[in-house]
Amino acid sequence: MTVIVVSGTGTEIGKTVTTAAVAAVAVAAGRSVAVLKPAQTGVAPGEPGDAQEVARLAGGDLTTLELARFPEPLAPNTAARRAGMAMVRPHDVADAAGKLAAEHDLVLVEGAGGLLVRLDDEGGTLADAARLLDAPVLVVTPAGLGTLNMTTLTAEGLRARGVRQLGVTIGSWPAVPDLASRCNLADLPGQADAPLLGAIPENAAALDVQDFRASAGSWLAPALGGTWEAEAFTRRHAPGP
């Protein structure tokens, strides 16, 4: 696939580090990769944003593009309105991703916040951009308590809009997982009606970049270019009776 939209069930759940892992695996396989951030919020001019963090971690000759940057850490439409700036609309995202896809083997479109956070005041969302692109969405979700409900709602939102879900990744797998996290491994695929495609270890972004790149494939399933096996991982972390 040429374009993958990376979204999630909320904010601060590991979308950027997941995007970086997918990019690192693709770069290691010799693919040309572009990362598109439609709306970067909460970052001042000149500061590195999410796309730059993906490039730092993944390495290679990555192309990065932001369509807009808003200073306050708010939903994109609210942040744009408060800053008196033009809003990003789904067709803007689709047009930019399409142009990048014409020149790259893989384009990763990383959203802001959850799937249905509004890009504009007309109700446009990242899901709408994915539909325009006919691109699958990789859903990033937390490991612990509450993730089943959030993941199910996100999956239902995709289905209602006719957008294909590629699968689910856990954006930050705890070094010492609690009971809920262990149980959720078995339950997430059924709740999402989509395969579990990876688990990124917590604090992965703090790794030395060479270690990050060397390890990324072991965190992601073959559908994302890695070697991670959901069944074996789930079995290894299964709770006792």
Side-chain angles (χ1 to χ4, degrees):
M1 62 201 74
T2 305
V3 181
I4 297 175
V5 176
V6 183
S7 188
T9 59
T11 191
E12 300 299 325
I13 57 170
K15 291 190 300 296
T16 299
V17 71
T18 298
T19 302
V22 175
V25 170
V27 167
R31 303 178 74 189
S32 59
V33 180
V35 178
L36 172 63
K37 184 74 177 183
Q40 175 69 66
T41 64
V43 178
E47 291 182 351
D50 292 341
Q52 290 72 41
E53 175 68 354
V54 172
R56 181 187 74 84
L57 290 169
D61 188 21
L62 235 64
T63 298
T64 62
L65 176 63
E66 286 181 5
L67 296 187
R69 174 174 287 212
F70 308 118
E72 295 179 316
L74 302 168
N77 66 323
T78 305
R81 191 187 322 116
R82 285 178 53 83
M85 299 172 66
M87 296 182 184
V88 177
R89 304 185 188 280
H91 68 80
D92 298 325
V93 182
D95 289 348
K99 291 175 182 177
L100 289 170
E103 301 175 350
H104 296 83
D105 299 321
L106 177 65
V107 179
L108 299 171
V109 182
E110 185 195 342
L115 176 71
L116 299 184
V117 168
R118 291 190 171 189
L119 294 172
D120 59 42
D121 282 343
E122 285 69 53
T125 68
L126 191 67
D128 297 315
R131 186 176 65 244
L132 289 172
L133 285 162
D134 193 24
V137 174
L138 178 63
V139 175
V140 183
T141 192
L145 198 63
T147 195
L148 297 180
N149 178 63
M150 293 186 294
T151 303
T152 301
L153 290 172
T154 300
E156 289 185 356
L158 289 169
R159 286 194 295 272
R161 289 160 178 77
V163 179
R164 180 166 65 93
Q165 183 178 181
L166 180 61
V168 177
T169 64
I170 296 171
S172 181
W173 179 255
V176 183
D178 61 12
L179 178 61
S181 297
R182 291 174 180 270
C183 290
N184 288 341
L185 283 173
D187 294 336
L188 272 169
Q191 295 275 155
D193 194 24
L196 190 59
L197 295 182
I200 313 298
E202 65 180 354
N203 299 320
L207 291 172
D208 175 84
V209 292
Q210 296 301 329
D211 291 338
F212 182 95
R213 296 164 194 170
S215 301
S218 67
W219 306 332
L220 300 171
L224 296 173
T227 59
W228 184 86
E229 296 182 355
E231 184 177 349
F233 190 86
T234 300
R235 187 168 57 248
R236 183 163 70 250
H237 291 285

